[in-house]
Amino acid sequence: MSIVLHGVAVGAGIAIGRAHLVTRGMDEVPHLELLASEIPTEITRYEQAVKATRRQLEQLRVAIPENAPAELGAFISLHLMLLSDVSLSREPIDLIKEQHINAEWALKQQTDKLAEQFDAIDDDYLRARKQDMLQVVERIYKNLNGLSTEVAVEEDFEDDAVLVAHDLSPADTVFFKDGRIAAFVTDVGGPTSHTAILGRSLDMPSVIALGHARELISEDELVIVDGSMGVLIIAPDDVVLGEYRRRIREFRSHKRQLSKLKKTAATTLDNINIELLGNIETIEDIKNLHKLGADGVGLYRSEFSYLNRDNLPTEEELFVLYSDVVKRLKGKSLTIRTVDLGVDKNPRWFGQSHSLNPALGMTGIRLCLAEPVMFRTQMRAILRAAVSGPVRMMWPMISSVTEVHQCLAHLETAKKQLAERDEAFNADIQVGVMVELPSAALSINAILKHVDFVSVGTNDLIQYTLAADRGDESVSYLYQPSHPAVLKLLHYVIRAANRLNKQVSVCGEMAGDEQYTRLLLGMGCADSQ
Ligand code: PEP
Ligand code: MG
């Protein structure tokens, strides 16, 4: 009998293969009481397991192959940091001493305590780091017990191996590209987990958050992984297999067609040129952008350089970073969005939001306007970087023309400050806004008079128009890009911009979804990100 499980789609594509179950160390943790004389040996055992874990992670970090995802090194470094923290390197030893227990049980108790602390964190991103902590613990546990910590031993696999794990850590994926792994699935993991990010970058069919997949699958069992739909089929019958084989052929031929088109100019039959731009979060993403043949960067989510640090970046730091981005883009256009913080992107210095509706609270441009020193520091860095290449500035989450006036006033002040310092900057920098709120869409005619371009941020426009949280699975059925209300707003904005001869682009997941391409072109949009 076949079983179908639904999880979170991560890496697109379909694979049919034989399951290879990844051993799980911490299923049944023994609880032993030790004699006082046994404690020193137990402590040494724990210290050696931590040492071995560190050595393995360090070795993996230097052995990362060229073709591995760019972010892998940073993720392994994070695991090394977690390992060095007293909560894993010291506190389990204190528990062994205080309670006269074995190292495994001390580690288990400490893990439960840490897991509880992570669960209590409000910030989604930081809460999701619990999984990283558990992955480090799993490795320590395996080292304590002399279990293998290697996941991908390529000679062991057939070409169609599907890895089935309770969880996979970034370190586990180091040799995935070189191995014979066709796909992977995990029981746990959220859409922002590092496993999910790596799954996307690895370009390998993968599904996470499948619940109890590992328990339901036997070693070597035939499975289908549909990474596009987030589906896992265990023991499929011949009809289902036939259908998925057909889909694999279709997917491959579609990919081949697309890669042939990479260098072809994006021009419609009636000779309208479409600019295809990419979104980036970090400078490392530029490699991919060139590989895919994008015309430039339509959205640089600059807030990522404000996260995971205790202080604000300085103007000089941002200037050096943006100038490096410009250089690496080799003449391609760059639109830098000023920081869009708040909701799920809260820097440490910002503190926790106590708003009941953070998405309607102090976020996006509201936060920039409330922190003018921070805002103008970033503006000055952008203005300076715009001397060396085609850089534009864009403001997020604008809700009214008043906010545009306020941004323009800060821009003038930033320019004046640079002029007083005799600093080189681009005084004619193009400025634009993101249309992400229905109020901005409906005020578009007034807004357009004061800016050079607009970009419709569909991710948020859909969420705010339909009052459906974009990150909440339970209302995802309401989150519909093709809802008539969303389409009306989109059409209204595009038409107004075309009428006033201002550049308009469409951004967000909807812009990258082929099923909407014709619709957006038909509405008169010639840029898409
Ligand atoms: C959007 O809202 O569509 C967008 C691109 O911005 P972000 O996804 O960063 O909120
Ligand atoms: Mg947005």
Side-chain angles (χ1 to χ4, degrees), residues 59-74 76 174-175:
Q59 279 167 357
L60 284 167
R61 191 170 53 179
V62 292
I64 294 175
E66 275 270 301
N67 57 0
E71 50 280 79
L72 190 48
I76 296 180
V174 169
F175 299 113

Side-chain angles (χ1 to χ4, degrees), residues 337 340 397 434 436 457 459-460 470:
R337 174 173 78 183
D340 186 11
M397 301 294 289
M434 290 202 74
E436 296 164 287
N459 295 342
D460 278 316
R470 60 194 257 192

Side-chain angles (χ1 to χ4, degrees), residues 49-59 80 83-84 89:
V50 171
K51 223 191 254 170
T53 305
R54 181 169 303 113
R55 204 174 42 242
Q56 287 159 2
L57 289 174
E58 278 165 355
Q59 279 167 357
L80 276 162
L83 181 68
S84 299
S89 62

Side-chain angles (χ1 to χ4, degrees), residues 232-304:
L232 173 75
I233 305 171
I234 306 166
D237 62 29
D238 286 347
V239 179
V240 173
L241 269 175
E243 169 59 18
Y244 273 93
R245 287 203 177 107
R246 189 190 63 72
R247 288 192 199 181
I248 289 178
R249 282 195 298 275
E250 213 174 77
F251 185 80
R252 286 190 185 147
S253 117
H254 185 58
K255 268 193 103 167
R256 272 198 302 274
Q257 296 296 335
L258 286 182
S259 77
K260 272 193 220 147
L261 290 174
K262 245 178 2 196
K263 293 206 169 100
T264 314
T267 310
T268 61
L269 288 177
D270 52 348
N271 258 341
I272 295 181
N273 252 331
I274 315 298
E275 224 188 343
L276 286 170
L277 305 161
N279 295 346
I280 62 167
E281 268 115 51
T282 64
I283 194 161
E284 279 79 33
D285 297 336
I286 296 176
K287 252 193 284 173
N288 248 343
L289 199 101
H290 285 304
K291 210 160 73 189
L292 296 169
D295 295 320
V297 173
L299 168 64
Y300 176 14
R301 290 184 167 101
S302 69
E303 55 274 10
F304 280 81

Side-chain angles (χ1 to χ4, degrees), residues 3-39:
I3 302 173
V4 181
L5 298 177
H6 294 261
V8 174
V10 171
I14 298 167
I16 301 174
R18 297 276 161 193
H20 177 83
L21 304 188
V22 177
T23 45
R24 213 182 142 189
M26 291 191 76
D27 271 341
E28 280 174 24
V29 181
H31 177 183
L32 308 174
E33 282 179 24
L34 304 181
L35 299 171
S37 59
E38 291 171 318
I39 301 300

